[in-house]
Structure formats: structure tokens, C-alpha cells
Amino acid sequence: MTEVANTEVAVLFVCLGNICRSPTAHGVFEKRVAEEGLASKIYIDSAGTGDWHLGEQPDPRTLLAGQQRGYDLSHLRARQVKAEDFDLFDYILAMDRKNLANLQQLKPRHFKGHLRLFLPFGRDLVDEVPDPYAGGTEGFEQVLDMVEQAAEGLLAHLCDAHLNEFPSSQ
Ligand code: 4NP
């Protein structure tokens, strides 16, 4: 397994429960990074600001929606954001403003990385990923649509800003 210390840039995706939006972003980005041969350079993880689902697999609806698009999210387990994350990660990317605000409260003064919303790396005008937990299956499709396009923008940004590489999709 890739250790964070051996990689060039580390990205943490954050939502509330770490069973719907952030594991989707984790799995989608992990697949794209692997396709580009960059798995040894980019460390990826996800976490929740809440603690209700610690140790759980992604929500069954998240797993199914991902599987239908070719993403295997079954290895992921929910965890909560911790203080150490601000020492390890260069990019801490929130799915919505509420989680971003919670992360800003946790952020230590010495954090030198980037704490911001994830979606603006993409080209959509919408900048928050809606919480699909209480809704129907279409919400999980929407999460995937949003995450897939923002993942391309994030990959291009990391390649340009940190890796001196050009993703094949650009
Ligand atoms: P997520 O969705 O933040 O995208 O993982 C949620 C999952 C669980 C809950 C809320 C949102 N919950 O209240 O348990």
C-alpha cells in the first residue's frame, strides 16, 4: 500500500458521514489516478466530519451506483477527520460549505495546505455536492456526475501544480 510520506501530494475528501459523497470522490479519483499511472505519487483518502458510521463500508446505494459505473468502493471504511490530517494532507476538499466550515474550525494555525470546496476544480457552476443520504437513488447518480467531472479538473490541477505531468484526458 502507498504510504503518504512516499507520495508527492496528498488529497483528503471530506463529507459528513463518509459513506456517500466523500467515498465516491475517493474511489472515482483513485481510479483516474491509477489510470494515469500516478498512484505512487498521489495519496488519496476520505473522511467524515461526523462519527456515526465509523468503520462502516459506504452506504449500499453508494456501492451500487459506483459499481454500475465501474468503481469498486467496497474496500473503503468510514472514519472521522482527525487533527493529524492537517499535518498529512496538502489538499483537504469538502463536499459542501457546512463541512468546510466545520473543517475551518478544526484547522490548526500551522496548516499550510489547501482547505476548500472540491467541486470548483471542475467546470460546473454548482460548487456543493448535495447530501444524497435521505433521498432516492437519483441523488447518488448526481453525486457521481458531479464528482467525475470535478475529479478531472483536480487531476489536471495536481499534475500541473505538483507533478509536472499531463493527464491523457487533457
Ligand atoms: P455523506 O452522507 O456525508 O455524503 O456520507 C451522509 C451520510 C450519513 C448521514 C448524513 C449524510 N447521517 O446522518 O448518518
Side-chain angles (χ1 to χ4, degrees):
M1 198 183 122
T2 308
E3 295 290 331
V4 63
N6 299 329
T7 54
E8 293 182 35
V9 61
V11 180
L12 180 68
F13 297 103
V14 180
C15 61
L16 182 59
N18 193 211
I19 56 168
C20 300
R21 293 165 293 175
S22 63
T24 300
H26 185 159
V28 166
F29 198 55
E30 196 165 64
K31 184 163 184 237
R32 281 298 289 123
V33 163
E35 284 167 358
E36 297 295 331
L38 296 172
S40 63
K41 297 188 176 177
I42 304 178
Y43 185 83
I44 305 161
D45 199 3
S46 62
T49 55
D51 66 358
W52 308 284
H53 299 282
L54 300 185
E56 292 179 19
Q57 271 197 328
D59 185 283
R61 297 163 296 173
T62 304
L63 287 172
L64 182 62
Q67 189 183 37
Q68 285 168 346
R69 289 200 200 183
Y71 303 107
D72 180 8
L73 309 179
S74 63
H75 60 294
L76 302 177
R77 295 293 179 277
R79 73 166 179 88
Q80 192 172 26
V81 174
K82 50 185 191 259
E84 190 193 11
D85 289 327
F86 290 93
D87 298 324
L88 295 180
F89 289 92
D90 306 293
Y91 288 81
I92 299 181
L93 303 177
M95 297 295 140
D96 61 30
R97 284 196 176 74
K98 187 138 193 288
N99 285 295
L100 180 62
N102 285 335
L103 289 164
Q104 278 159 346
Q105 297 286 322
L106 297 172
K107 181 177 77 135
R109 277 168 200 260
H110 67 261
F111 179 62
K112 292 280 189 293
H114 307 272
L115 172 57
R116 46 175 289 190
L117 292 171
F118 169 47
L119 280 197
F121 279 102
R123 52 190 151 61
D124 275 0
L125 293 179
V126 181
D127 61 7
E128 297 184 285
V129 187
D131 180 352
Y133 187 65
T137 51
E138 67 287 351
F140 291 81
E141 294 296 327
Q142 186 186 30
V143 169
L144 274 163
D145 291 341
M146 294 173 141
V147 161
E148 282 181 331
Q149 66 89 13
E152 290 307 319
L154 176 61
L155 184 60
H157 172 80
L158 297 184
C159 284
D160 183 45
H162 299 274
L163 303 178
N164 214 9
E165 305 250 6
F166 297 94
S168 57
S169 60
Q170 296 302 297

